[in-house]
Amino acid sequence: MPNVVVVGAQWGDEGKGKIVDIYSRQAEVVVRFQGGNNAGHTLVVEGEKIILHHIPSGILHEGKLCVIGNGVVADPGILLDELSRLAERGRNVTPDVLMISENTHVITPVHKKLDMAREAKASPEKKIGTTGRGIGPCYEDKASRRGIRMADLIDPEKLRERMKILLEEKNALLTCYYDEEPLDLEEVLAELNPQGAKLAPFVTNTTVKMQQWVEDGRNILFEGAQGALLDIDHGTYPFVTSSNTVSGNAGPGTGVGPGALENIIGITKAYATRVGAGPFPTELDCETGDRLRNQGAEFGSTTGRPRRCGWLDLVALKHAAHLNGLTGLAVTKIDVLGGVGEIKVCVAYELDGKRIEHLPGQTDQIANVKPIYETLPGWEADISKMTELDQLPAEVHTLLARIEKAIGKPVVLASIGPGREQTLEISSPYAT
């Protein structure tokens, strides 16, 4: 049976957590391959909302192996808090079911302090809307070969040595450039050492295990964070996240070759949202945008920030489909469009008086495009309790068909509400 990669096809917040939860039923291994705790995957199980930031959504299923891959940057305090909250819900997570790569980079207090200081110092037009969780500074240290990894965190002597070097540089930056107080090495170690001791049983060489599971033919589900349009190389730079969010990073983010990435499912809402700064061609700064936000509960699961809302952008979606090599698409929050009236989808842009049907390569160009819309009929019915695809109004089928035509790939799943049971699976990526 094939391996499956699940990625966001917009600016994040597309509902990946729910889709990973659904597909986890057929997977044996669920692995997160990039991002940090700035991503919150929200699931609703038996009416209870559960938000996961680091741990793969598959942890809610018995008998699944879950992995935090080397491409992730992890906040040990947040991770331990997540484990504690799962235990309170009766899900006691042990090293037998959760493994953390020894090469996963660690978000430390200095990363978070730098993140906030940098955003505070930036002028309004230069702010990128960071969550302040330290993800960017941690990835910077990874690229500059100064990072602290899980293998360092669980070794007090190595941690002291590497943290001392890191603080010498970061404290100079904090005090001299950002006019902030320096961090004390002993205080930082007093916070990190107990966290390392608690996480040590979970830390292992997951690369070797992943490669063996691929050879053994196990079903592996690769879970991404954020969305394709926030990719550091292919997104709306600099208003992006600090990692490669596209499906191709599932290999280097876990230690397997590209041949292991078979079915690639992109997730899109039936409309569009974005959190933070950056261009958003179809944004609705009007009553309709407010309705989508309120009906769709569009507030960040990590920060609580209201999301910007707009019509579905098929140009950007097609771009994401190509970047990820999608084999299928899951469409979420279709129910939110009920009662909106006529529905618009962006099919092209106008830039400098010319019609274009591709996403421009430069962010300032994206900020200046005017969306060209196609109008589709809306529906009034509440579809959230429908249990069969053929029960959906004809107008919903029209919308899904228009999406398929735009990206040239089939819609394989339709989500009509937040609950597990509010999911209509058209075809399974695990079908043999």
Side-chain angles (χ1 to χ4, degrees):
M1 296 177 78
N3 298 325
V4 176
V5 184
V6 172
V7 291
Q10 295 174 301
W11 282 283
D13 307 308
E14 302 95 346
K16 293 180 292 299
K18 176 186 176 180
I19 306 308
V20 170
D21 177 56
I22 296 295
Y23 288 158
S24 292
R25 293 177 298 188
Q26 295 168 280
E28 297 171 85
V29 181
V30 185
V31 54
R32 169 86 176 269
F33 64 85
Q34 51 77 220
N37 60 300
N38 54 342
H41 288 177
T42 303
L43 305 92
V44 178
V45 181
E46 298 178 353
E48 181 182 11
K49 181 185 288 188
I50 300 172
I51 301 174
L52 299 171
H53 297 282
H54 282 313
I55 300 175
S57 306
I59 202 68
L60 299 178
H61 293 268
E62 294 293 335
K64 309 299 179 183
L65 293 171
C66 290
V67 177
I68 297 175
N70 57 274
V72 173
V73 292
D75 184 321
I78 296 296
L79 184 50
L80 286 168
D81 180 64
E82 204 165 317
L83 289 168
S84 177
R85 285 187 285 108
L86 285 168
E88 291 172 0
R89 289 181 167 90
R91 185 72 174 103
N92 188 31
V93 179
T94 68
D96 294 328
V97 296
L98 176 66
M99 303 173 193
I100 306 170
S101 171
E102 60 189 359
N103 292 335
T104 297
H105 278 251
V106 176
I107 300 170
T108 70
V110 73
H111 293 126
K112 289 180 277 190
K113 188 164 186 176
L114 271 173
D115 206 1
M116 295 297 290
R118 182 177 294 159
E119 187 79 347
K121 188 177 178 66
S123 58
E125 67 276 7
K126 297 295 183 181
K127 293 182 186 295
I128 61 173
T130 176
T131 60
R133 299 303 201 267
I135 283 82
C138 186
Y139 272 117
E140 289 173 21
D141 283 341
K142 176 179 180 176
S144 65
R145 301 175 297 281
R146 294 183 179 88
I148 292 172
R149 304 193 288 185
M150 280 291 172
D152 305 317
L153 181 70
I154 64 176
D155 184 330
E157 289 187 12
K158 287 175 64 178
L159 179 62
R160 174 178 289 275
E161 177 185 345
R162 296 193 65 81
M163 199 71 224
K164 182 180 179 181
I165 295 170
L166 192 64
L167 281 182
E168 285 177 357
E169 177 189 36
K170 303 305 182 186
N171 276 338
L173 188 58
L174 283 169
T175 57
C176 297
Y177 185 70
Y178 291 115
D179 197 26
E180 296 279 349
E181 291 295 318
L183 289 177
D184 179 74
L185 175 62
E186 298 304 325
E187 291 180 3
V188 171
L189 292 176
E191 177 178 337
L192 293 178
N193 278 326
Q195 295 171 345
K198 292 177 181 178
L199 290 173
F202 298 91
V203 178
T204 187
N205 186 337
T206 59
T207 298
V208 170
K209 294 181 184 296
M210 288 291 300
Q211 292 169 351
Q212 186 61 56
W213 292 331
V214 169
E215 289 183 12
D216 292 345
R218 291 204 180 194
N219 278 359
I220 303 174
L221 179 59
F222 297 85
E223 176 182 356
Q226 288 91 31
L229 301 178
L230 292 177
D231 186 275
I232 193 167
D233 286 309
H234 302 287
T236 51
Y237 189 90
F239 305 101
V240 293
T241 193
S242 301
S243 60
N244 287 112
T245 60
V246 294
S247 63
N249 194 28
T254 60
V256 301
L261 314 179
E262 296 168 292
N263 279 348
I264 301 170
I265 306 301
I267 317 299
T268 179
K269 289 175 181 170
Y271 50 99
T273 63
R274 179 164 196 169
V275 172
F280 184 5
T282 63
E283 184 171 11
L284 293 170
D285 187 14
C286 61
E287 183 179 341
T288 301
D290 293 339
R291 180 190 175 108
L292 291 175
R293 183 179 302 107
N294 293 326
Q295 288 288 106
E298 295 296 353
F299 300 90
S301 57
T302 298
T303 64
R305 290 184 296 180
R307 296 175 184 139
R308 301 155 64 190
C309 295
W311 295 120
L312 181 61
D313 189 335
L314 294 178
V315 180
L317 187 60
K318 183 178 180 180
H319 177 69
H322 288 165
L323 285 175
N324 288 287
L326 297 186
T327 58
L329 195 70
V331 183
T332 64
K333 293 201 170 184
I334 303 171
D335 55 301
V336 175
L337 291 178
V340 170
E342 290 185 329
I343 295 167
K344 292 184 180 182
V345 293
C346 175
V347 297
Y349 301 135
E350 180 184 318
L351 179 63
D352 298 330
K354 297 180 180 179
R355 178 188 173 105
I356 61 172
E357 297 184 2
H358 65 273
L359 192 71
Q362 299 302 309
T363 299
D364 57 349
Q365 293 176 316
I366 298 174
N368 289 324
V369 301
K370 295 181 180 179
I372 298 173
Y373 289 113
E374 185 176 302
T375 301
L376 302 177
W379 63 90
E380 294 295 325
D382 177 7
I383 66 172
S384 63
K385 294 180 176 60
M386 296 180 179
T387 57
E388 301 292 338
L389 194 66
D390 58 10
Q391 293 177 337
L392 296 175
E395 293 83 358
V396 175
H397 289 278
T398 298
L399 173 63
L400 297 181
R402 186 63 184 90
I403 294 171
E404 289 184 330
K405 180 181 178 181
I407 70 167
K409 299 297 177 182
V411 172
V412 298
L413 183 148
S415 175
I416 55 173
R420 278 177 175 171
E421 71 284 357
Q422 295 171 297
T423 309
L424 305 178
E425 195 167 2
I426 301 166
S427 62
S428 171
Y430 286 103
T432 56

